[in-house]
Amino acid sequence: MPEISIVVPTFSEAENIAELHARLSAVLGSESWELIFVDDDSPDGTANLARELSNKDQRVRCIQRIGRRGLSTAVVEGALSSSAPYVAVMDADLQHDESILPAMLHELRSRNLDIVVGSRYVAGGGTGNWDESRKTISRIAGRMAKGLVPEDLHDPMSGFFAVRSEALRDAARRLSGYGYKILLDLFVSAGRPLRFAEVPYTFKPRVHGQSKLDSLVAWEYLMLLVDKRIGHIIAPRLLFFLLVGGSGVALHYLTLSTLFLGFHVSFTIAQLAGTVLAMTSNFFLNNLFTYRDQRLRGMRLVRGLLSFYAVCGMGALANIGIAAYAFSANIEWALSAAAGIVVGTLWNYLATARFTWGSRK
Ligand code: GDD
Ligand code: MN
């Protein structure tokens, strides 16, 4: 049985994994270890290469996920497939310095810690050749996590760490799983203070392949933060949906007052224009922010817009019907209107989640 499983999430890392395997073999020496690649069906055939490696070295395995994406969930699934007492997580692209793995393991065992973080922000570590903008983004992202993680953890955004498997399994059901920041997720979701230490290393430049860090990763980070801060009160998606809805109300009033007061268009026409404009803007904003991870494009965008109109049209009917019914039952007018708005909005949220964005297989 291996003492440590090295879990490596991969997406299009064909040019890197053989080298990674060679480096791990060299540095881990007599340690009993295994290497688990978790590949999200990379178009460059990373999974096949990983399987070739495991034909040569039994310590290598590959989990191939189809129709799925996500660094964090890949890491969790790889870790849960391990029965070793320790799990290390690192990138496939050779940016994480494998030579500190023995030191990380030693810390973990000898001090009986839950987790040891490979850190760029303690003495002896560094971000290597990062330019100013990447440094700034990293700093801002770090600040946004303030209060969620222990103050004396210097690199909560690290993707390089070793953990006692049990600590990870304990937290597994509470993890958000959004995006890249599995370490941060782990600290917040542990439900108790984790005993940790940091080992310095210098982040290396990527030689082969490309970074997958993009606007979706940034969005997922935001969702993770919202979820971990106020997720117990409101689902992050519902929150985004309501914010977008609020902007729609503002746009509606702006259109209405411009047409009705400014251009003396009839009230009904101005109201209609405001409604259509607000619905359209809501659709595109929700597609961009609330459902960025399942963004509709091309023909599906058109179909999505039509279904959004249909659902929200029904929502408006429900709103009016319920408010009218409440009012006729002698409930105060403002309260009657509020009941209609709440039911209509919830309908819009639930039904568009199902029919507009939920159609993805
Ligand atoms: N399975 C899977 N699925 N793996 C993925 C996915 C995915 O959707 N996206 C990225 N990966 C893999 C990559 O193949 C690579 O092995 C690793 O995750 C990191 O991806 P990069 O795209 O190279 O990320 P990065 O270098 O920009 O970010 C790294 O450094 C950050 C520190 O600033 C990551 O380690 C981050 O977690 C870390 O915060
Ligand atoms: Mn990288």
Side-chain angles (χ1 to χ4, degrees):
M1 186 188 94
E3 265 281 292
I4 179 156
S5 303
I6 320 279
V7 173
V8 177
T10 55
F11 192 77
S12 291
E13 302 287 2
E15 293 166 301
N16 290 316
I17 61 172
E19 173 66 16
L20 178 71
H21 173 252
R23 291 191 192 181
L24 288 175
S25 309
V27 78
L28 289 171
S30 59
E31 194 71 61
S32 89
W33 56 279
E34 66 174 346
L35 172 57
I36 306 171
F37 290 107
V38 187
D39 184 70
D40 284 347
D41 207 17
S42 305
D44 73 348
T46 303
N48 286 335
L49 283 177
R51 279 185 287 264
E52 269 171 37
L53 274 177
S54 42
N55 283 332
K56 288 183 221 143
D57 181 346
Q58 289 187 20
R59 294 174 298 189
V60 180
R61 304 194 259 135
C62 174
I63 298 174
Q64 181 177 8
R65 307 195 302 174
I66 294 177
R68 306 265 307 277
R69 275 303 298 275
L71 200 165
S72 283
T73 56
V75 164
V76 174
E77 285 172 36
L80 290 179
S81 83
S82 150
S83 50
Y86 303 102
V87 166
V89 175
M90 69 188 296
D91 292 351
D93 55 6
L94 313 171
Q95 296 194 274
H96 293 158
D97 185 354
E98 70 288 338
S99 71
I100 66 165
L101 274 171
M104 290 166 88
L105 262 178
H106 177 76
E107 290 275 290
L108 207 50
R109 285 181 184 134
S110 65
R111 294 173 54 195
N112 194 28
L113 301 172
D114 292 310
I115 190 158
V116 174
V117 177
S119 175
R120 299 157 295 175
Y121 301 123
V122 292
T127 48
N129 70 341
W130 277 15
D131 57 22
E132 278 312 313
S133 73
R134 175 101 202 236
K135 277 187 201 156
T136 310
I137 292 172
S138 179
R139 206 174 321 120
I140 294 172
R143 251 183 233 148
M144 287 166 74
K146 263 236 157 72
L148 283 176
V149 290
E151 242 174 79
D152 48 344
L153 173 63
H154 297 85
D155 198 353
M157 319 298 266
S158 179
F160 187 22
F161 58 91
V163 57
R164 222 158 37 76
S165 310
E166 213 188 342
L168 192 144
R169 280 197 294 269
D170 282 348
R173 285 186 188 77
R174 288 184 295 270
L175 293 169
S176 287
Y178 282 119
Y180 260 41
K181 302 307 171 190
I182 176 66
L183 180 68
L184 189 138
D185 202 354
L186 203 56
F187 267 93
V188 184
S189 309
R192 64 178 171 90
L194 293 179
R195 293 155 46 82
F196 71 93
E198 289 176 273
V199 174
Y201 81 98
T202 299
F203 201 74
K204 289 187 274 187
R206 190 188 248 280
V207 179
H208 298 292
Q210 281 165 10
S211 169
K212 284 91 206 171
L213 197 98
D214 56 11
S215 62
L216 180 61
V217 170
W219 175 89
E220 287 180 313
Y221 180 54
L222 196 67
M223 293 298 260
L224 173 67
L225 290 183
V226 173
D227 190 32
K228 285 309 176 196
R229 284 193 196 277
I230 53 168
H232 53 289
I233 304 171
I234 184 168
R237 252 191 244 279
L238 177 56
L239 177 70
F240 276 62
F241 192 83
L242 294 179
L243 288 175
V244 167
S247 79
V249 172
L251 182 64
H252 184 141
Y253 274 100
L254 193 73
T255 314
L256 182 62
S257 55
T258 310
L259 292 180
F260 182 58
L261 299 177
F263 291 90
H264 307 291
V265 175
S266 84
F267 179 80
T268 312
I269 300 285
Q271 168 76 358
L272 187 72
T275 308
V276 172
L277 209 65
M279 275 205 289
T280 310
S281 145
N282 283 0
F283 171 73
F284 286 104
L285 289 177
N286 277 316
N287 197 44
L288 215 56
F289 295 112
T290 316
Y291 292 99
R292 190 171 190 94
D293 54 339
Q294 5 193 329
R295 211 156 120 198
L296 305 172
R297 290 192 168 92
M299 266 320 282
R300 297 179 55 220
L301 186 73
V302 178
R303 210 180 325 128
L305 179 62
L306 295 179
S307 80
F308 192 81
Y309 284 149
V311 166
C312 294
M314 277 188 250
L317 286 182
N319 177 342
I320 295 168
I322 283 164
Y325 175 77
F327 187 68
S328 74
N330 284 330
I331 293 173
E332 229 184 302
W333 65 268
L335 215 59
S336 302
I341 290 170
V342 168
V343 173
T345 306
L346 278 181
W347 158 262
N348 288 351
Y349 174 66
L350 294 172
T352 57
R354 173 90 174 72
F355 297 111
T356 307
W357 285 282
S359 52
R360 192 174 72 144
K361 72 164 178 81

